[in-house]
Amino acid sequence: MASDPAMTEAIKTPRRSQAERTAAMRARLIDAAVVCLNRLGYSATTLATIAEEAGVSRGGMLHQFPSKVDLMLAVVAFASGYDERPQAPRALNDDGDKRAQFIDQTDTVWRAQTTPAVMAKLEIMVAARSDPQLADQLPAMFNAIEARRRSFMIDFAREIGVDDAEAIESMVTLHMAAMRGLSLEMLLTDDPARIERAYGLLKRYKEDLVDRLMAEAAAKKASA
């Protein structure tokens, strides 16, 4: 007796759970929103344009994101790694490697600044100036994301012997503000190498600061 192709395919491909289908739909809409924000800008990006880009019905989209602001906040969370995706554990090596990893965190963030998702996030951040609903909700998410970023780097700094949390907090704040500004300028400049040189100076500042803080911490420990 010949097998039913549809039955065979169903056996090969297990049916996804409702949670999996929901996650896939949300990811599809977030991806479409990123495309529209980069192509059209915030004002011209509407729920209708996003639904069309994603190839889903408006009703299907509204079931996941009842408003434009809801979807914009989801884009910000996605671009910041603040969504439901599992976080990969950071490898821990000897002290020398930890210092290099601490310094290289800046490279990781800088490389992300020109990705479509992060550029879309910057578009949303700027738009908060003229969208009252976005301005009402975005700051809480932004501040939570940045607080987590600072906490991560403060904890990481302790692994290389630096306990000056205030200095690390200021460093992270300066670096993030500077990199956002440089990435925006990258959109307009006719000399991207100049931007990269400016970033290199920012990273050298971090190296000098970290080495000074490590030396101060070591001296304090030796005199204790």
Side-chain angles (χ1 to χ4, degrees), residues 186-198:
M186 188 73 86
L187 292 174
L188 304 174
T189 186
D190 58 358
D191 185 7
R194 177 176 58 85
I195 306 300
E196 289 293 342
R197 289 194 298 272

Side-chain angles (χ1 to χ4, degrees), residues 35 68 80 96 103 126 131 155 163 175 208:
V35 170
K68 179 179 177 179
S80 307
I103 297 296
V126 173
D131 185 326
D155 288 344
D163 288 321
H175 278 205
D208 292 344

Side-chain angles (χ1 to χ4, degrees), residues 35-105:
V35 170
C36 291
L37 285 163
N38 280 288
R39 185 175 65 214
L40 304 172
Y42 183 85
S43 296
T45 294
T46 64
L47 291 178
T49 60
I50 295 169
E52 181 179 0
E53 177 67 30
V56 303
S57 69
R58 183 178 173 82
M61 181 178 64
L62 293 176
H63 181 69
Q64 301 297 330
F65 299 106
S67 72
K68 179 179 177 179
V69 170
D70 290 328
L71 181 47
M72 295 302 102
L73 293 177
V75 171
V76 171
F78 172 78
S80 307
Y82 198 67
D83 55 358
E84 298 84 2
R85 288 169 297 172
Q87 299 296 309
R90 178 171 52 79
L92 298 178
N93 298 306
D94 60 42
D95 289 343
D97 284 340
K98 285 180 185 177
R99 178 198 174 277
Q101 289 175 4
F102 186 84
I103 297 296
D104 288 345
Q105 282 293 317

Side-chain angles (χ1 to χ4, degrees), residues 16-198:
R16 292 187 298 177
S17 68
Q18 180 60 42
E20 290 171 330
R21 291 196 297 274
T22 296
M25 175 63 79
R26 290 175 67 87
R28 189 172 173 180
L29 290 165
I30 289 170
D31 287 344
V34 167
V35 170
C36 291
L37 285 163
N38 280 288
R39 185 175 65 214
L40 304 172
Y42 183 85
S43 296
T45 294
T46 64
L47 291 178
T49 60
I50 295 169
E52 181 179 0
E53 177 67 30
V56 303
S57 69
R58 183 178 173 82
M61 181 178 64
L62 293 176
H63 181 69
Q64 301 297 330
F65 299 106
S67 72
K68 179 179 177 179
V69 170
D70 290 328
L71 181 47
M72 295 302 102
L73 293 177
V75 171
V76 171
F78 172 78
S80 307
Y82 198 67
D83 55 358
E84 298 84 2
R85 288 169 297 172
Q87 299 296 309
R90 178 171 52 79
L92 298 178
N93 298 306
D94 60 42
D95 289 343
D97 284 340
K98 285 180 185 177
R99 178 198 174 277
Q101 289 175 4
F102 186 84
I103 297 296
D104 288 345
Q105 282 293 317
T106 312
D107 282 337
T108 300
V109 176
W110 175 241
R111 285 193 298 269
Q113 290 305 300
T114 54
T115 61
V118 174
M119 295 308 297
K121 173 184 172 180
L122 292 176
E123 180 77 20
I124 294 167
M125 290 172 63
V126 173
R129 295 184 59 196
S130 57
D131 185 326
Q133 288 183 308
L134 185 62
D136 184 56
Q137 297 186 55
L138 180 60
M141 172 176 282
F142 175 82
N143 290 326
I145 290 169
E146 292 307 302
R148 188 176 76 166
R149 191 192 307 276
R150 292 191 297 269
S151 178
F152 172 85
M153 291 304 290
I154 288 169
D155 288 344
F156 197 170
R158 291 193 178 105
E159 295 179 21
I160 59 173
V162 175
D163 288 321
D164 191 339
E166 186 174 280
I168 297 301
E169 183 179 59
S170 297
M171 180 197 75
V172 173
T173 299
L174 173 62
H175 278 205
M176 290 309 304
M179 284 190 280
R180 290 187 187 105
L182 289 173
S183 62
L184 285 173
E185 189 167 346
M186 188 73 86
L187 292 174
L188 304 174
T189 186
D190 58 358
D191 185 7
R194 177 176 58 85
I195 306 300
E196 289 293 342
R197 289 194 298 272

